Amino acid sequence: MTEKILILDFGSQYTQLIARAVREANVYCEIIPYYKPFDFEPGIKGIILSGSPFSVNEEKAPEVNVPEFISKVPVLGICYGAQLTAKCFGGVVAKSNKREYGRAILEKIKEDVLFAAVSEKSQVWMSHADTILKMPDGFELLATTESIPVAAFKKSMKGTPDLLAGQAGTKHPAAEFPLYGVQFHPEVYHSKEGKTILNNFLTRICHCSQDWTPAHFITDTVEALKKQIGDRKVIMALSGGVDSTVAATLIHRAIGDRLSGIFVDNGVLRKDEFEGVLKTYEQLGLHVKGIDAKERFYHDLAGKVDPEDKRKVIGSLFIDIFQEESKKFEGVQLLGQGTIYPDVIESVSVHGPSATIKSHHNVGGLPEHLHLELVEPLRSLFKDEVRKVGRELGIPAEMIDRHPFPGPGLAIRILGEITEERVQLLQQADHLFIKGLKDAGLYATVWQAGAILLPVKSVGVMGDERTYEFTLALRAVTSVDGMTADWAHLPYEFLANISNEIINNVRGINRVVYDISSKPPATIEWE
């Protein structure tokens, strides 16, 4: 039985960070919208209530039954979750005279297991307009800040302390599990000891065993895949990326050669990627058929300059090719995909159920066209967890540690029309940039990097010759999850060397620029 923490999402921008912090403590957790019903199955060890853009005093403010929760498991309310808890038990929450955003110093008023090993004064991160003016009867103040009187609290417990080690669903007429609230956000980086506070909740209060590791995930997932798939066959569209490769390796461990893969060369892959990826798949023992479809893609992309048109052409043709090839595999009943947890979370709105599934959840929309049952072994994992599982599976580091690469490939890194000649230009330049980052020991410090071919020509001089050639932009960013990103401050000497390397070796490019815009307001990709 897998232990689990439930995170009820009220729409906070930080909810995924709570989940990541819990997972980093080797405790499995799931995010569900606050309105979604759930059963208190035995594995549930605790509940965390997230922050929210709402005010608890709004007419349609989200609500949950906190008294019921603490009759079953410990509960921690964060920001909105803390305010909702206070109001639920008769406290007073109102607009603060002084809004508190950003860094604040938390001062402990009373010792408690929630703050074990936390400094007397600790930096935390605030983001709220409401504040708790009066705590409910029977609640204890644990910490304050200079600006707000109630920064952390707990509800005095009823019942017997030995129930704390019990399973969810334990019933006792007078029993209550611990209930805590913190006005700050322990899950964000700027709360210096926030991870310690969350870890205390998980281990000292919820008594989680912290045994959810990559090895544990692999064992459980392979067994689950065997049960789901049975003696049926699975087909997958592979991209050479981390997610699809790890998903395929897990499925292969479960069913062996009853998994078949298709890897399509759409003409806009990176230099030598088609051959290199197929070789890696062979080393992993995966049965993958490579399809060279470059000419078909170049034909359909001819004359297309709008990025959305390029995406549609690539997606549509990919589906056509995959359908053609999948018919050559007899008896296939399931489609494997590398869907990961952020894809699943983002398809559901806390403002109400949503039927909208983002296009990247489904490889090119394949499920709708093939009418196959889905197999998604990674749908509970974040990207960094997928990489950890991949390493545990023995997948080569050069594939596991690859930077993200857009589905439409170089097509959206070539501004303007796609031609085979322009693709080859960009492939050469991009290869030199990435190789240079690796040789200089900078590749691992960057979240994503690539080169963009601009539809701009400029005058240059090489030797005694005048040139009139393309301009290339280099892009490198640092990020945690791609939601926000800062331009990577690469050394000037490195940029100078790479510029010379590209201009001297790629005929057709005579000018190199470096993109120093962050996301937001810019995006990581140019199209």
Side-chain angles (χ1 to χ4, degrees):
M1 177 183 64
T2 300
E3 294 180 347
K4 182 193 301 183
I5 295 291
L6 284 185
I7 301 169
L8 302 193
D9 182 21
F10 294 100
S12 170
Q13 61 181 322
Y14 299 135
T15 301
Q16 286 195 34
L17 294 182
I18 302 173
R20 292 173 71 92
V22 173
R23 300 279 186 92
E24 285 172 14
N26 293 333
V27 175
Y28 179 67
C29 66
E30 289 180 4
I31 297 172
I32 63 173
Y34 71 91
Y35 57 78
K36 183 178 180 181
F38 62 90
D39 295 322
F40 280 92
E41 56 196 63
I44 296 177
K45 302 290 282 185
I47 291 174
I48 297 176
L49 309 177
S50 83
S52 176
F54 295 99
S55 164
V56 294
N57 294 316
E58 290 179 21
E59 187 177 344
K60 295 185 178 180
E63 294 180 352
V64 292
N65 191 343
V66 181
E68 180 192 5
F69 294 168
I70 59 171
S71 72
K72 305 286 177 43
V73 293
V75 173
L76 171 65
I78 294 175
C79 196
Y80 179 90
Q83 295 167 0
L84 178 65
T85 297
K87 184 180 179 185
C88 181
F89 285 90
V92 178
V93 180
K95 289 289 181 188
S96 175
N97 293 328
K98 182 178 180 182
R99 289 187 175 191
E100 194 167 34
Y101 290 99
R103 294 173 181 83
I105 299 300
L106 185 76
E107 186 169 350
K108 290 197 292 185
I109 298 299
K110 184 175 181 179
E111 289 298 328
D112 190 89
V113 291
L114 186 68
F115 293 115
V118 174
S119 307
E120 290 301 315
K121 294 188 176 183
S122 182
Q123 178 183 295
V124 295
W125 186 261
M126 296 286 187
S127 179
H128 61 97
D130 287 349
T131 193
I132 299 167
L133 296 181
K134 181 179 179 296
M135 287 195 305
D137 294 338
F139 279 59
E140 300 174 60
L141 180 66
L142 299 180
T144 66
T145 71
E146 184 180 345
S147 301
I148 60 171
V150 182
F153 62 80
K154 78 172 183 179
K155 187 179 189 299
S156 300
M157 287 179 56
K158 301 176 189 174
T160 52
D162 58 298
L163 277 174
L164 292 181
Q167 296 290 345
T170 302
K171 294 185 184 297
H172 188 286
E176 279 187 356
F177 284 85
L179 170 60
Y180 286 88
V182 293
Q183 184 60 76
F184 57 92
H185 288 273
E187 70 274 19
V188 304
Y189 170 79
H190 298 295
S191 290
K192 295 298 186 183
E193 296 175 284
K195 299 289 177 66
T196 301
I197 294 168
L198 287 171
N199 205 55
N200 287 337
F201 177 72
L202 299 171
T203 58
R204 296 169 181 262
I205 297 167
C206 297
H207 301 282
C208 296
S209 56
Q210 297 182 285
D211 62 354
W212 195 69
T213 63
H216 184 206
F217 173 83
I218 291 168
T219 302
D220 287 355
T221 301
V222 169
E223 287 305 309
L225 287 169
K226 287 178 180 178
K227 289 179 183 177
Q228 179 189 359
I229 297 168
D231 59 359
R232 295 179 292 177
K233 295 180 180 179
V234 180
I235 196 164
M236 278 192 77
L238 293 162
S239 67
V242 176
D243 301 339
S244 66
T245 301
V246 173
T249 305
L250 282 168
I251 296 171
H252 183 259
R253 284 218 175 170
I255 65 170
D257 289 342
R258 283 185 288 123
L259 168 68
S260 298
I262 294 174
F263 179 41
V264 177
D265 185 351
N266 58 14
V268 284
L269 300 176
R270 287 168 283 202
K271 186 174 186 289
D272 301 327
E273 184 171 19
F274 185 60
E275 296 78 12
V277 167
L278 285 175
K279 186 176 180 180
T280 301
Y281 286 153
E282 187 178 348
Q283 292 169 353
L284 290 170
L286 300 177
H287 176 224
V288 180
K289 181 179 181 181
I291 309 296
D292 183 352
K294 290 194 294 289
E295 295 307 320
R296 289 179 67 177
F297 279 92
Y298 291 148
H299 176 272
D300 285 13
L301 283 167
K304 300 290 189 298
V305 295
D306 181 83
E308 215 36 55
D309 289 343
K310 295 177 189 176
R311 284 187 169 88
K312 287 176 182 175
V313 165
I314 292 171
S316 175
L317 184 53
F318 176 83
I319 290 172
D320 291 345
I321 293 170
F322 189 88
Q323 284 183 304
E324 292 168 12
E325 295 298 329
S326 62
K327 290 175 183 176
K328 300 175 184 178
F329 295 88
E330 294 183 2
V332 171
Q333 294 171 275
L334 298 104
L335 175 68
Q337 288 199 159
T339 309
I340 64 175
Y341 200 38
D343 302 338
V344 176
I345 298 167
E346 288 165 14
S347 68
V348 180
S349 166
V350 300
H351 301 287
S354 170
T356 303
I357 303 297
K358 294 174 71 174
S359 59
H360 63 261
H361 299 177
N362 313 323
V363 181
L366 286 174
E368 292 91 336
H369 287 76
L370 298 179
H371 306 293
L372 299 175
E373 180 185 332
L374 284 177
V375 181
E376 299 173 302
L378 304 180
R379 64 181 286 114
S380 68
L381 298 188
F382 288 102
K383 189 78 170 188
D384 53 339
E385 294 168 336
V386 175
R387 295 187 196 278
K388 289 176 184 175
V389 169
R391 293 186 187 99
E392 187 74 24
L393 288 166
I395 297 172
E398 59 267 22
M399 182 164 277
I400 288 300
D401 296 327
R402 296 174 80 187
H403 291 172
F405 188 64
L410 299 180
I412 59 169
R413 292 184 180 175
I414 297 173
L415 275 57
E417 187 177 2
I418 308 298
T419 66
E420 187 170 2
E421 294 73 26
R422 289 184 177 184
V423 170
Q424 290 175 358
L425 264 186
L426 185 55
Q427 283 176 333
Q428 294 176 61
D430 182 74
H431 172 73
L432 291 173
F433 182 32
I434 300 301
K435 181 177 182 300
L437 286 169
K438 291 178 178 178
D439 291 347
L442 295 169
Y443 187 79
T445 70
V446 172
W447 192 76
Q448 185 172 336
I452 301 96
L453 188 67
L454 306 183
V456 175
K457 288 188 174 183
S458 64
V459 175
V461 178
M462 290 187 180
D464 294 328
E465 294 183 19
R466 176 185 179 277
T467 61
Y468 190 63
E469 296 177 339
F470 284 106
T471 301
L472 183 83
L474 302 181
R475 180 76 159 139
V477 298
T478 56
S479 181
V480 174
D481 53 15
M483 300 300 289
T484 62
D486 193 14
W487 61 277
H489 294 233
L490 299 177
Y492 290 153
E493 185 178 357
F494 168 80
L495 291 172
N497 291 339
I498 283 297
S499 176
N500 288 337
E501 186 81 2
I502 291 171
I503 291 170
N504 290 339
N505 289 280
V506 183
R507 189 174 183 87
I509 295 172
N510 68 355
R511 192 176 297 271
V512 174
V513 299
Y514 187 55
D515 183 348
I516 59 168
S517 44
S518 297
K519 175 187 178 182
T523 53
I524 294 176
E525 298 293 343
W526 280 39
E527 289 193 336

